[in-house]
Amino acid sequence: AQSVTQPDIHITVSEGASLELRCNYSYGATPYLFWYVQSPGQGLQLLLKYFSGDTLVQGIKGFEAEFKRSQSSFNLRKPSVHWSDAAEYFCAVGFTGGGNKLTFGTGTQLKVEL
Amino acid sequence: EAQVTQNPRYLITVTGKKLTVTCSQNMNHEYMSWYRQDPGLGLRQIYYSMNVEVTDKGDVPEGYKVSRKEKRNFPLILESPSPNQTSLYFCASSPSGGTLHFGNGTRLTVT
């Protein structure tokens, strides 16, 4: 069965600093990988996704992620964080079975200091 | 506007009182599913449906029922809610092999 690990429960960065959120997955085949963001009281917004091809994926709001098969990782990065990026971030792995089921990590709460 | 609509957004109920959370999508998606979100556990799939009258269990189906009588609607039914079902619930839809679109969530409290 697939699984996703987000080792950092909380991360605090200063506004303008760079950000990297870690995600490791376990899955027997080539994964579909996603990053979602959830602002307080809001639903889930898709930041970016990897299905195949170029391993560096660009997303919305200036985020990018890199798929590294050898490390089973899909880390999310942003070169300069804005205060509005404070939210909870979820990494997920998907496959076409189970009705396009996603298996989520436990999330990383990002705090941005001004 | 393409969207997944859940109702209600907030619900407080008592143990044992049957409730239904509605979910509707206007994108003609084949697949629909329900997830629950709990602190420290992320989101877990409850049930999913791959088409009308086709439903199956996800990872945490106990205590829940679903139905898919129409393509656009996928209600979640708790026939006898218990406090351990207090959670944030998300409905999602997607085309076959496509990306999930999530609703805004329903926060359920069972006392």
Side-chain angles (χ1 to χ4, degrees):
Chain A
Q2 65 272 29
S3 65
V4 178
T5 301
Q6 293 181 248
D8 303 306
I9 299 174
H10 299 280
I11 283 186
T12 300
V13 299
S14 299
E15 189 175 38
S18 63
L19 172 69
E20 182 169 31
L21 302 182
R22 297 183 290 165
C23 173
N24 291 95
Y25 67 91
S26 172
Y27 184 55
T30 300
Y32 302 148
L33 295 162
F34 305 82
W35 275 100
Y36 285 86
V37 60
Q38 185 180 32
S39 298
Q42 301 297 311
L44 292 158
Q45 182 179 24
L46 178 67
L47 284 175
L48 47 80
K49 61 187 178 185
Y50 171 79
F51 280 10
S52 64
D54 193 347
T55 56
L56 184 62
V57 180
Q58 301 298 320
I60 62 171
K61 302 185 179 186
F63 286 93
E64 67 177 26
E66 186 171 12
F67 170 54
K68 293 185 177 180
R69 185 187 302 275
S70 61
Q71 299 177 19
S72 297
S73 69
F74 189 58
N75 294 349
L76 182 71
R77 300 192 295 248
K78 187 171 185 178
S80 178
V81 169
H82 188 263
W83 63 267
S84 60
D85 293 324
E88 190 159 23
Y89 292 79
F90 292 94
C91 180
V93 61
F95 69 116
T96 55
N100 285 350
K101 172 186 172 181
L102 292 181
T103 296
F104 284 84
T106 52
T108 298
Q109 187 72 46
L110 173 65
K111 179 180 177 181
V112 180
E113 290 184 332
L114 300 176
Chain B
E1 179 189 354
Q3 59 185 1
V4 178
T5 303
Q6 296 178 227
N7 281 296
R9 290 294 306 277
Y10 301 91
L11 181 57
I12 301 174
T13 190
V14 296
T15 299
K17 185 176 181 181
K18 181 179 179 180
L19 66 91
T20 299
V21 183
T22 64
C23 175
S24 180
Q25 51 98 0
N26 62 2
M27 295 168 279
N28 202 36
H29 286 165
E30 291 84 3
Y31 291 2
M32 297 186 75
S33 52
W34 278 101
Y35 290 78
R36 60 177 288 172
Q37 182 182 5
D38 302 290
L41 296 177
L43 284 84
R44 295 174 292 168
Q45 191 189 58
I46 303 170
Y47 266 95
Y48 66 94
S49 168
M50 296 172 70
N51 216 323
V52 175
E53 303 292 0
V54 180
T55 63
D56 208 346
K57 297 177 181 179
D59 295 324
V60 288
E62 295 77 18
Y64 304 94
K65 284 177 57 177
V66 293
S67 69
R68 188 95 182 271
K69 294 184 170 55
E70 306 167 281
K71 195 171 187 179
R72 62 183 291 123
N73 295 324
F74 190 47
L76 179 70
I77 303 158
L78 286 72
E79 296 211 323
S80 185
S82 63
N84 64 11
Q85 293 177 297
T86 292
S87 187
L88 179 59
Y89 292 87
F90 287 99
C91 180
S93 74
S94 68
S96 173
T99 302
L100 268 66
H101 297 252
F102 285 90
N104 283 331
T106 295
R107 187 167 293 282
L108 172 65
T109 302
V110 183
T111 62

